[in-house]
């Protein structure tokens, strides 16, 4: 039997019938579709979404990149068991997807992209917004999405949708290979009718596998950990993707091995767990980085070992250090010349637990890291301290005020600027999904739309998007979507009149903060004038948010409590203190490699190069 539908109608029907299943729990694989309509998708996918509105929820976006961020936020919050689709017009609507697609693929988070494309039959050539290349007639702007997609196909004929759609779902549901998936849809093909097999439109379940470790790899991992005097676990995002937090907590408690966390792994253990020693790497804690420098065996769980985690290959300095990598992706399991343990994180931890002796970590080592943990907690408390409640708050004091207010239900979202470093070092995570910092791509403008995706995945929970002024200016458009859909977004905008993170880095590498402040140009063309007369709070209000403007720390506490209790989108707009005399976060506890000019006439750059040469000698390639 067959059903006659257009390509777009069949695709929407197909997507509405796809499910994932893991550990007996079933989820909609494509839970909703985001869209901005124009030529290339309004008459195809747009009409199909109207036709099947009862089967496929729809969200109206304002910026194509932001729609992908919202979809990614939803996917992360659901543990990658559910995703969203994003449809756009041809031309700029399609190319605006590229940044979001890169973010999704780098972070291994599923999103389905459905950009419109130019005519497959080419009745008019070129059409509006079409890219023409003299050497290739089959290239369109959608080909920009190929290198940032885990799977890409262009549907040139109706019947081609069947294998392409199935392959797209397989990729989205693959825990090792998921990311952005692109099905480019020529606008004439979208509207073409075809007789679809009923089997294609029937309900289909994609089971998320939990592969077990190879016996020989498991034995090698156990032997390495058994012989360790100073073992350390580094928990990455794979712990969360696997839902392995409970297994990790049990494993760490019974073995006594301390656990440090990457940005994606923070929250794998709550901050008050005895074995949690905090963040590791360039934005890490003194406690975790001390243990990393002296560890003889490092068990990495679900981590990609990025340069921030390894302090650009200068952190793990024990002469005989060995790595064991438990990772579902073989590509990542072999990094750091590790003993690979290719398996699902939860399954691998449970099998390691069954074979390792409990409490085999020496007692003096346990005492050492417990003391290191206590010392760091004292530094956090000192950084959060507020000597004067009537003063303007620092950025760290804003985090401290929020820390006193939230509980395990709150979710914090951030991605770029100086906030990821402060949050990674200082934030006291209370639940497995409270800490939502996108640092694989560290994309400015991620936070507000991602918060909408999280709100859709976790209705009823307080969701906070934390942004600096630079990040806010990148992508505030989805505030309108929050207002339209009545999503109670809690937005904290920190106004410090410039790029604080890159400004600090610029100063450190001899570039003297050039072009990083939001200031009026002086007569000589420099950026030394007063701050720009920009009011981002007024901007947020113009987009429909209720805006609170605390002036002091005392005001801030009241405003945050008001925002947390709000049922409508609410912005807390804070002018932060940036003077050198106020308290700030502890400095970086490990290096990060940003090459400095080898020659320069400016003393600041000469001094920065001397410092760079000192650090780079510690870099080590683990073989």
């Amino acid at each position: 039997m067959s059903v006659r539908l257009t390509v777009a109608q069949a695709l929407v029907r197909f997507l509405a019938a796809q499910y994932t299943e893991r550990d007996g729990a079933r989820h909609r694989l494509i839970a909703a579709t985001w869209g901005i309509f124009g030529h290339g998708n309004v008459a195809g996918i747009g009409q199909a979404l109207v036709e099947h509105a009862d089967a496929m929820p729809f969200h109206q976006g304002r910026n194509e990149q932001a729609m992908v961020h919202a979809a990614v936020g939803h996917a992360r919050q659901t543990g990658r068991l559910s995703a969203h689709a994003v449809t756009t017009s041809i031309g700029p609507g399609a190319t605006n997807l590229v940044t979001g697609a890169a973010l999704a693929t780098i972070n291994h988070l599923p999103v389905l992209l459905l950009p419109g494309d130019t005519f497959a039959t080419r009745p008019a050539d070129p059409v509006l917004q079409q890219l023409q290349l003299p050497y290739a007639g089959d290239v369109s702007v959608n080909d920009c999405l190929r290198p940032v997609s885990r799977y890409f196909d262009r549907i040139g004929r109706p019947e081609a949708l069947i294998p392409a759609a199935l392959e797209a779902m397989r990729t989205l549901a693959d825990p090792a290979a998921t990311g952005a998936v692109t099905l480019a849809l020529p606008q004439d093909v979208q509207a073409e009718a075809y007789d679809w097999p009923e089997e294609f439109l029937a309900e289909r379940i994609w089971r998320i596998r939990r592969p077990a470790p190879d016996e020989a790899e498991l034995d090698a991992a156990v032997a390495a950990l058994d012989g360790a005097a100073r073992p350390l676990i580094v928990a990455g995002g794979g712990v969360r993707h696997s839902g392995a937090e409970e297994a990790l907590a049990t494993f760490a408690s019974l073995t006594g091995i301390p656990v440090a966390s990457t940005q994606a792994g923070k929250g794998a253990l709550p901050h008050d767990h005895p074995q949690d020693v905090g963040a590791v790497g360039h934005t890490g804690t003194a406690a975790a980085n001390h243990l990393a420098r002296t560890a003889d065996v490092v068990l990495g769980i679900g981590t990609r070992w990025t340069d921030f985690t390894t302090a650009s290959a200068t952190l793990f300095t024990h002469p005989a250090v060995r790595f064991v990598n438990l990772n579902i992706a073989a590509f990542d399991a072999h990094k750091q010349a590790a003993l690979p343990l290719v398996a699902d994180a939860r399954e691998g931890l449970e099998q390691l637990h069954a074979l390792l002796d409990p409490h085999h970590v020496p007692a003096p080592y346990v005492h050492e890291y417990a003391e290191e943990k206590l010392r760091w907690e004292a530094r956090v408390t000192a950084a959060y301290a507020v000597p004067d409640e009537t003063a303007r708050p620092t950025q760290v004091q804003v985090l401290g005020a929020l820390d006193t207010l939230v509980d395990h239900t709150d979710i914090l979202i951030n991605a770029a600027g100086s906030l990821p470093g402060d949050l990674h070092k200082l934030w006291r995570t209370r639940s497995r999904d409270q800490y939502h910092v996108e640092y694989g791509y560290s994309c400015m403008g991620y936070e507000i739309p991602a918060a909408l995706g999280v709100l859709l995945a976790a209705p009823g929970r307080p969701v906070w998007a934390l942004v600096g002024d630079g990040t806010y200016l990148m992508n505030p458009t989805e505030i309108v979507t929050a207002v339209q859909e009545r999503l109670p977004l809690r937005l904290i905008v920190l106004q410090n009149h410039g790029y604080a993170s890159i400004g600090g880095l610029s100063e450190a590498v001899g570039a003297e903060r050039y072009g990083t402040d939001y200031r009026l140009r002086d007569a000589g063309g420099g950026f030394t004038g007063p701050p720009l007369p920009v009011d981002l709070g007024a901007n947020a209000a113009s987009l429909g948010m209720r805006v609170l403007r605390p002036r002091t720390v005392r005001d801030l506490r009241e405003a945050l409590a008001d925002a947390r209790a709000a049922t409508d989108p609410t912005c807390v707009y804070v002018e932060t203190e940036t003077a050198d005399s106020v308290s700030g976060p502890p400095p970086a506890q490990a290096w990060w490699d940003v090459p400095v000019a080898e020659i320069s006439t400016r003393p600041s750059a000469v001094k920065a190069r001397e410092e760079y040469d000192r650090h780079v000698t510690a870099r080590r390639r683990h073989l």
Side-chain angles (χ1 to χ4, degrees):
M1 295 291 291
S2 63
V3 180
R4 192 161 182 81
L5 300 166
T6 68
V7 168
Q9 291 164 1
L11 178 57
V12 171
R13 283 270 303 270
F14 170 84
L15 295 177
Q18 307 303 301
Y19 293 85
T20 61
E21 185 176 283
R22 189 176 72 178
D23 303 331
R26 185 181 297 190
H27 306 263
R28 275 278 295 264
L29 176 50
I30 305 299
T33 296
W34 290 81
I36 296 176
F37 295 114
H39 94 99
N41 71 337
V42 66
I45 292 291
Q47 189 280 330
L49 288 168
V50 173
E51 185 120 344
H52 301 291
D54 57 334
M56 178 60 68
F58 175 76
H59 303 293
Q60 181 181 349
R62 267 73 196 177
N63 174 281
E64 290 86 359
Q65 180 189 137
M67 293 194 297
V68 185
H69 294 335
V72 167
H74 177 273
R76 176 168 171 170
Q77 185 62 32
T78 61
R80 306 193 302 184
L81 298 173
S82 182
H84 283 171
V86 177
T87 179
T88 72
S89 63
I90 69 172
T95 52
N96 281 350
L97 296 173
V98 173
T99 296
L103 182 149
T105 295
I106 285 170
N107 286 284
H108 301 292
L109 292 166
V111 59
L112 177 62
L113 307 179
L114 304 173
D117 211 330
T118 53
F119 287 86
T121 54
R122 306 183 192 178
D125 195 43
V127 298
L128 178 67
Q129 300 176 325
Q130 179 178 343
L131 171 71
Q132 280 194 302
L133 298 176
Y135 62 85
D138 63 342
V139 172
S140 81
V141 296
N142 285 342
D143 289 281
C144 295
L145 289 159
R146 287 182 184 271
V148 292
S149 296
R150 287 290 186 175
Y151 177 77
F152 178 99
D153 203 350
R154 179 176 284 112
I155 311 304
R157 289 288 305 145
E159 57 267 33
L161 178 65
I162 294 176
L166 292 170
E167 188 63 20
M169 297 303 104
R170 182 203 64 78
T171 305
L172 290 171
D174 187 330
T178 195
V181 168
T182 300
L183 296 180
L185 302 169
Q187 58 179 311
D188 51 346
V189 176
Q190 288 182 48
E192 190 172 342
Y194 185 74
D195 294 321
W196 303 92
E198 286 187 344
E199 294 84 355
F200 176 64
L201 304 175
E203 184 178 294
R204 193 179 301 265
I205 299 173
W206 302 86
R207 290 184 172 83
I208 310 298
R209 61 186 182 277
R210 289 191 180 277
D214 174 81
E215 186 175 342
E217 290 184 353
L218 185 62
D219 289 343
V222 169
L225 290 167
D226 262 338
R230 299 182 63 83
L232 174 68
I233 293 171
V234 174
V239 175
R240 178 170 182 175
H241 298 330
S242 172
E245 294 89 351
E246 186 176 338
L248 176 61
T250 300
F251 181 81
S253 295
L254 292 179
T255 62
I257 302 176
V259 178
S261 58
T262 69
Q263 283 279 12
K266 188 174 173 76
L269 294 183
H271 76 96
D272 55 357
H273 189 285
Q275 272 66 55
D276 178 70
V277 293
V280 70
H282 178 64
T283 53
T285 69
N289 284 345
H290 164 70
L291 297 174
R293 291 185 178 98
T294 58
D296 56 354
V297 174
V298 180
L299 173 59
I301 306 174
T303 176
R304 298 187 297 128
W305 293 115
T306 65
D307 61 342
F308 260 58
T309 299
T310 67
S312 298
T314 64
L315 186 56
F316 299 94
T317 56
H318 190 288
V321 64
R322 300 177 67 193
F323 291 82
V324 177
N325 285 343
L326 169 55
N327 203 299
I328 200 166
F331 177 78
D332 292 316
H334 283 83
K335 290 178 179 177
Q336 305 289 95
L339 295 171
L341 190 59
V342 181
D344 170 75
R346 193 187 76 180
E347 187 71 19
L349 278 169
E350 289 176 349
Q351 294 205 26
L352 282 173
H353 170 216
L355 295 174
L356 278 173
D357 294 331
H359 303 294
H360 77 283
V361 172
Y365 183 51
V366 176
H367 178 75
E368 177 187 340
Y369 71 68
E371 289 295 312
E372 291 278 354
K373 178 181 171 75
L374 285 173
R375 278 193 288 272
W376 184 259
E377 280 297 312
R379 293 183 73 176
V380 174
T381 299
Y384 282 169
V386 180
D388 182 3
E389 291 275 332
T390 64
R392 189 162 68 177
T394 67
Q395 177 168 288
V396 169
Q397 289 168 346
V398 172
L399 299 183
L402 192 59
D403 177 77
T404 64
L405 177 69
V406 304
D407 62 26
H408 69 282
T409 63
D410 292 72
I411 301 170
L412 275 64
I413 300 173
N414 183 242
S418 57
L419 276 165
D422 291 354
L423 287 164
H424 198 208
K425 283 194 286 263
L426 303 175
W427 187 258
R428 292 163 171 157
T429 311
R430 294 154 173 81
S431 64
R432 60 172 294 276
D433 61 353
Q434 180 172 85
Y435 188 85
H436 184 133
V437 173
E438 185 284 300
Y439 216 58
Y441 208 42
S442 189
C443 185
M444 295 176 73
Y446 171 80
E447 295 88 345
I448 294 172
L452 305 193
V454 172
L455 282 161
L456 292 170
R461 293 182 62 178
V463 177
W464 302 84
L466 279 61
V467 301
D469 51 343
T471 293
Y472 178 88
L473 285 170
M474 286 281 181
N475 202 3
T477 56
E478 300 318 296
I479 287 174
V480 178
T481 303
V483 172
Q484 181 182 40
E485 302 220 0
R486 298 188 174 125
L487 295 173
L489 168 69
R490 288 126 179 122
L491 173 62
I492 299 177
V493 179
L494 303 174
Q495 174 61 275
N496 54 23
H497 301 288
Y499 298 127
S501 174
I502 294 301
L505 178 62
S506 172
E507 187 172 48
V509 299
E512 303 175 29
R513 292 184 178 264
Y514 184 78
T516 63
D517 289 339
Y518 289 167
R519 295 183 180 277
L520 291 167
R521 291 257 186 160
D522 60 19
F527 297 94
T528 56
L532 295 175
V534 173
D535 187 341
L536 301 183
N539 178 264
S542 76
L543 298 177
M545 290 199 94
R546 184 169 69 102
V547 177
L548 307 174
R549 294 174 174 268
R551 303 293 182 186
T552 68
V553 175
R554 183 178 296 122
D555 296 341
L556 173 66
R557 297 188 196 282
E558 295 174 0
L560 292 174
D562 185 343
R564 190 172 187 271
T567 58
D568 53 346
T570 302
C571 171
V572 179
Y573 180 63
V574 190
E575 291 263 359
T576 57
E577 182 59 70
T578 57
D580 293 336
S581 60
V582 300
S583 63
Q589 306 297 304
W591 186 57
W592 183 40
D593 189 350
V594 177
V596 177
E598 192 168 359
I599 58 171
S600 176
T601 60
R602 302 186 71 82
S604 61
V606 172
K607 181 179 179 181
R609 180 67 193 198
E610 291 172 355
E611 185 71 6
Y612 178 82
D613 289 338
R614 182 179 71 82
H615 280 290
V616 81
T617 59
R619 190 160 51 204
R620 173 184 179 187
R621 187 176 296 278
H622 296 282
L623 299 170

